[in-house]
Amino acid sequence: MLFRSLGQLRLVYVLNSEWAPINIYAAGGAGLVSRGGEAYEGVTGLTDLTGNVAFGALFRIGSSYRIRLEIEDYLYQTQMTFPSGESSGSRFQNDFVFSFGLSIPLG
C-alpha cells in the first residue's frame, strides 16, 4: 500500500524567534493525496483533496544548515469503488507522515 502527497499549499508560522537555535513551527493548508500499490489494483476513487496540519522543529547546525523533524496529519473524506462495483461508502481518513531531513536555505 502506498500513500502519496501529490502537492500541498500551506501557511507556516514559527512559534518562537526566527534566530533561536531551535525553531518550532506549526503549519496548515490544503493538498491532494493519492493511494496506490497492488492492494488498490482496479480500485477507483484513490485521489482526494485534503486538509493538512503539521508541527515541526528546525535544529540549527552551522550558519546555514538545519535538521528538520516534522509530523504531518492529512485529513480527508474518501470513497473508493472496487472492481466488483461495490463502494466503500464515504469514510473519514486520517494519515500521519513523519519526516526527517536536512534544510538548506536558498536565499
Side-chain angles (χ1 to χ4, degrees):
M1 183 166 54
L2 179 66
F3 168 83
R4 295 180 288 249
S5 172
L6 300 177
Q8 60 182 299
L9 179 64
R10 65 183 189 178
L11 295 174
V12 178
Y13 181 76
V14 178
L15 300 171
N16 61 345
S17 169
E18 183 180 325
W19 306 108
I22 300 173
N23 296 123
I24 308 296
Y25 63 90
L32 191 63
V33 295
S34 179
R35 289 157 304 286
E38 286 184 34
Y40 292 106
E41 196 168 309
V43 178
T44 60
L46 299 176
T47 303
D48 295 293
L49 292 174
T50 179
N52 174 282
V53 293
F55 294 96
L58 292 167
F59 300 87
R60 192 178 305 268
I61 53 173
S63 61
S64 296
Y65 302 105
R66 295 180 179 126
I67 298 293
R68 182 179 62 86
L69 296 171
E70 183 177 277
I71 181 170
E72 295 176 89
D73 188 5
Y74 292 87
L75 309 148
Y76 55 97
Q77 286 288 124
T78 189
Q79 183 170 345
M80 295 180 245
T81 304
F82 302 102
S84 65
E86 189 177 338
S87 175
S88 66
S90 184
R91 298 184 184 265
F92 178 74
Q93 188 77 24
N94 188 271
D95 295 322
F96 289 96
V97 176
F98 299 92
S99 300
F100 172 79
L102 179 66
S103 286
I104 304 169
L106 297 177

